[in-house]
Amino acid sequence: MRQSSGVRGERSEEAGDSGESKGSKSSKGAAEPTGGPTESGTSGAAGTGGSEESPGAKESDGSSSGSGSGSGKDSGSIPGGGARRRRIGRIARWTALGLSLLILGVSAAGYFYYEHLNSNIRKNKLNLGDKQLDRSAANAEGQRPLNILILGSDSRNSKENVALGGARDDADRPPLADVQMLVHVSADRSNMSVVSVPRDTRVTIPKCTDPESGKVYKGTDRQIINTSLGNGGPGCTVATWEELTGIPVDHFMMIDFSGVVSMADAVGGVPVCVDANVYDDKSGLRLAKGTHTIKGKQALQWLRTRHGFEDGSDIGRTHAQHMYMNAMVRQLKSGTKLTDPGQLTGLAEAATRALTVDKDLGSVKELYELGNDIKRVPSGRITMATMPWVSDPQDPDAHVIPKPGDADKLFSLVRNDIALDGKDKKKDDKNPPPTVAATRKGDIAVAVFNGTGTLVEPPATGRGSDIAAFLVKEGFTKATSDSTPRAQADTTITYPRALQRGDALAVAKALGLPESAVRHSPEVQQITLVVGGDWRTGTAYPKTGDDEPAADPSGKPGEKDGKGDEKKGGGKKGDGKGDNKAPESSDPLNGDDKSACMKVNSLNRF
């Protein structure tokens, strides 16, 4: 695993850092748990599985059995005996796989007492901004990618969370989202990308309105991303991510300290590795060199530690979180965990109490279906990545900003449903361009939409009508503009039938759009052009070094760059040999990589 370069100050591990003050970030926030050194392979006493599970055991007879024997109450409530228990175990294991990948692991044991668990789950509005991006377009088979934002909250709103997170004085302050990961599941469910943004990233936080109090939080570009959670709730963090990345977010899931601890206990621990002895007195993590199975409070210490890893910054913490998640996925895929009904009901009780989701994901049934969708992705096609970053010119010792070029490229790959591992097949391999355009320009009907508006920027006036008029001038006399509001980051041309690909390519060529912007989707009724936020002025699409020219509908290849050379990096989109994969600066980690070992900060060794 690559070590981040550059130390951004000795800020404390305190989650209360709002990013507003300069220099050392120390006394304002809530200190991390300091429960003292914890020996490797053992969990801390506070907040472990027993105390988390006991409430659930008293509320439902279905949770009372931990033995799985035929004489317990569980047997009496599950007709069919052993076969039914095995089936429920399989459902529970796969649901836990999907959701543990999202750092929460709510298992399908929720089916034991469905309505009770549903009432445990807190639900919030998905997006608190004034607008949200259009959903990702469906592919040629009508499948959509899924984008789920995963948030780890430092809320101290319960005795368990105060015990695990410390700082009782901060129990009433707005929580911060110190863990933020976007899970992108490809439309065909063949691969998954997980992108982390460091909590110290200074971003534009759009105006958000608290749905309960009605309080309006003004937009700002002076705060770091973890403070967005305090501007009305997780829906403001969703709005911030959409503004930062241009990726439409379908769902969010948020979990607190106690939920992380419960999940780690339920799976019997997660294997992690350090390349030297480490002791971080801020988080309490203490491990000897080598591989250890951590659970309970010690797992939370691992996920929160930053001083002990790499350069002591938040970047190292995101790498440690990626290693932990990959290992947990492998644990659950092995099928050796979460087979005891009593254990599963305790986990479901604790996890749902710790969970907040958007309203469209607000039941165990939806969570199970999501986990069932995710389980289809092989671990070898899961890629964890961190947003490429540079020091923030406004506060270089404490904050970062997205690295120009590399961060844009990472977000663009996700927006366009391209795997970060570079192993995608070309999207339209099944529908190669025809040798000639199917129809004359004057017979090609094109609907043009203005999708240039964002959460913080209004639509560029008249973009739809301007581009439609240009197309008419170019001979596409049936091009018309549609005033229906749209919002998306990238300009796209979609077509409903495979035979219309040549027509769509002809439109793309007239506008200077790359071939990658042309997509087959059965959702549209005719060839549809959405002018995105990447094209706010002019009638010729602004070219970048990564654009692949649209193929000539006559069958001739697209033009080379100005020097007649192949694109930088070589290879075409999706062949895995060019630059169509996560940039190295994002520190990509493959889900099957068992050799990863965290680099220990030399200042935190024992």
Side-chain angles (χ1 to χ4, degrees):
M1 184 173 294
R2 293 159 54 90
Q3 182 169 356
S4 304
S5 59
V7 178
R8 296 191 307 285
E10 280 299 312
R11 294 191 303 118
S12 78
E13 194 63 22
E14 299 166 355
D17 173 17
S18 69
E20 295 180 355
S21 59
K22 303 289 184 181
S24 173
K25 311 289 176 184
S26 55
S27 61
K28 282 190 176 183
E32 289 203 33
T34 55
T38 307
E39 295 302 323
S40 64
T42 63
S43 62
T48 52
S51 61
E52 292 296 320
E53 295 175 8
S54 57
K58 293 180 180 180
E59 292 191 36
S60 170
D61 287 343
S63 64
S64 61
S65 172
S67 66
S69 67
S71 59
K73 291 185 179 180
D74 272 341
S75 315
S77 64
I78 306 176
R84 178 64 61 87
R85 284 197 299 274
R86 286 193 297 273
R87 184 177 68 81
I88 291 175
R90 286 195 298 273
I91 294 173
R93 186 163 59 247
W94 279 116
T95 303
L97 166 61
L99 301 182
S100 69
L101 182 60
L102 315 181
I103 321 180
L104 46 90
V106 179
S107 82
Y111 274 80
F112 289 163
Y113 44 115
Y114 181 80
E115 290 302 328
H116 168 67
L117 291 183
N118 282 343
S119 68
N120 283 348
I121 301 172
R122 294 183 293 274
K123 306 166 190 69
N124 283 171
K125 186 177 178 181
L126 175 63
N127 192 313
L128 300 184
D130 287 344
K131 327 174 199 178
Q132 63 187 86
L133 295 173
D134 289 348
R135 291 183 66 193
S136 300
N139 65 10
E141 284 72 39
Q143 304 164 308
R144 288 182 186 273
L146 272 173
N147 296 312
I148 309 109
L149 183 61
I150 308 309
L151 304 174
S153 164
D154 74 344
S155 170
R156 273 79 167 176
N157 62 357
S158 68
K159 291 181 179 179
E160 292 88 350
N161 286 335
V162 169
L164 293 166
R168 297 174 194 276
D169 293 342
D170 273 356
D172 295 326
R173 69 155 171 79
L176 300 169
D178 279 351
V179 176
Q180 301 192 23
M181 298 181 181
L182 184 78
V183 176
H184 171 85
V185 188
S186 67
D188 62 5
R189 306 306 186 250
S190 67
N191 65 85
M192 181 156 50
S193 304
V194 181
V195 176
S196 291
V197 169
R199 73 166 192 177
D200 296 330
T201 305
R202 182 172 62 83
V203 296
T204 295
I205 300 175
K207 183 181 79 171
C208 292
T209 303
D210 189 317
E212 295 184 4
S213 68
K215 180 177 179 179
V216 176
Y217 295 85
K218 294 182 179 179
T220 176
D221 61 1
R222 295 182 173 273
Q223 293 183 324
I224 56 177
I225 197 167
N226 73 338
T227 65
S228 60
L229 184 61
N231 291 10
C236 193
T237 306
V238 168
T240 301
W241 267 78
E242 289 201 348
E243 178 60 33
L244 172 67
T245 66
I247 301 167
V249 176
D250 300 303
H251 300 292
F252 73 78
M253 307 172 86
M254 184 170 69
I255 192 168
D256 58 19
F257 295 149
S258 62
V260 173
V261 168
S262 298
M263 183 58 201
D265 282 344
V267 300
V270 175
V272 295
C273 174
V274 288
D275 70 352
N277 297 346
V278 59
Y279 174 51
D280 183 351
D281 61 354
K282 300 294 191 299
S283 70
L285 181 71
R286 183 184 181 94
L287 292 173
K289 178 181 178 179
T291 299
H292 305 267
T293 297
I294 58 173
K295 57 183 177 179
K297 185 176 181 180
Q298 195 175 43
L300 181 62
Q301 291 169 345
W302 175 275
L303 293 170
R304 300 188 71 203
T305 291
R306 72 177 179 90
H307 290 284
F309 296 140
E310 297 183 0
D311 64 359
S313 76
D314 193 50
I315 308 301
R317 171 160 49 191
T318 65
H319 295 162
Q321 291 166 354
H322 291 169
M323 180 187 298
Y324 180 92
M325 289 176 67
N326 274 346
M328 179 174 280
V329 170
R330 292 194 298 269
Q331 288 280 90
L332 290 163
K333 273 185 172 287
S334 70
T336 60
K337 307 293 180 184
L338 299 176
T339 57
D340 180 84
Q343 184 185 42
L344 286 166
T345 53
L347 167 63
E349 182 72 33
T352 52
R353 285 184 179 277
L355 185 64
T356 303
V357 300
D358 63 278
K359 293 178 180 179
D360 287 339
L361 200 60
S363 74
V364 173
K365 180 177 183 292
E366 276 89 15
L367 292 172
Y368 165 70
E369 289 174 350
L370 176 62
N372 197 47
D373 226 9
I374 290 173
K375 78 176 184 180
R376 296 162 55 186
V377 180
S379 57
R381 294 300 312 281
I382 297 172
T383 305
M384 308 273 178
T386 302
M387 179 197 75
W389 56 272
V390 294
S391 294
D392 179 8
Q394 294 187 14
D395 198 351
D397 291 333
H399 301 153
V400 300
I401 59 174
K403 183 178 181 179
D406 282 9
D408 298 333
K409 175 181 175 181
L410 182 68
F411 298 150
S412 177
L413 290 173
V414 176
R415 284 197 304 268
N416 290 288
D417 196 25
I418 299 172
L420 299 185
D421 59 11
K423 296 179 181 178
D424 261 355
K425 294 181 179 179
K426 192 171 177 64
K427 296 296 182 184
D428 280 299
D429 273 351
K430 295 180 181 179
N431 302 302
T435 55
V436 294
T439 52
R440 297 181 304 108
K441 287 182 180 180
D443 293 329
I444 299 175
V446 185
V448 184
F449 292 83
N450 182 357
T452 57
T454 71
L455 291 165
V456 297
E457 201 166 16
T461 305
R463 291 301 290 152
S465 57
D466 288 349
I467 299 303
F470 176 79
L471 285 172
V472 170
K473 184 179 177 181
E474 290 294 303
F476 296 90
T477 55
K478 290 188 177 181
T480 58
S481 63
D482 190 312
S483 60
T484 305
R486 287 291 195 64
Q488 67 181 45
D490 300 306
T491 298
T492 59
I493 297 177
T494 49
Y495 56 96
R497 300 194 307 273
L499 290 176
Q500 291 176 294
R501 179 172 172 80
D503 295 347
L505 287 171
V507 176
K509 185 173 177 60
L511 297 170
L513 282 165
E515 186 175 352
S516 58
V518 179
R519 303 169 190 176
H520 182 192
S521 175
E523 287 196 328
V524 295
Q525 301 299 313
Q526 64 184 94
I527 293 177
T528 301
L529 166 63
V530 179
V531 182
D534 57 345
W535 191 15
R536 296 181 64 85
T537 60
T539 55
Y541 183 74
K543 295 183 182 297
T544 69
D546 292 333
D547 285 345
E548 180 181 351
D552 191 310
S554 66
K556 297 177 182 178
E559 296 177 0
K560 308 285 185 179
D561 63 19
K563 298 180 180 179
D565 296 330
E566 292 290 342
K567 294 187 305 168
K568 181 180 178 182
K572 295 184 178 180
K573 277 188 176 292
D575 66 4
K577 298 177 181 178
D579 61 358
N580 207 34
K581 60 190 296 188
E584 287 301 313
S585 57
S586 68
D587 296 297
L589 177 66
N590 182 269
D592 274 347
D593 187 352
K594 299 179 182 179
S595 65
C597 200
M598 282 305 300
K599 295 182 182 299
V600 173
N601 188 333
S602 60
L603 300 177
N604 291 80
R605 297 180 180 180
F606 69 89

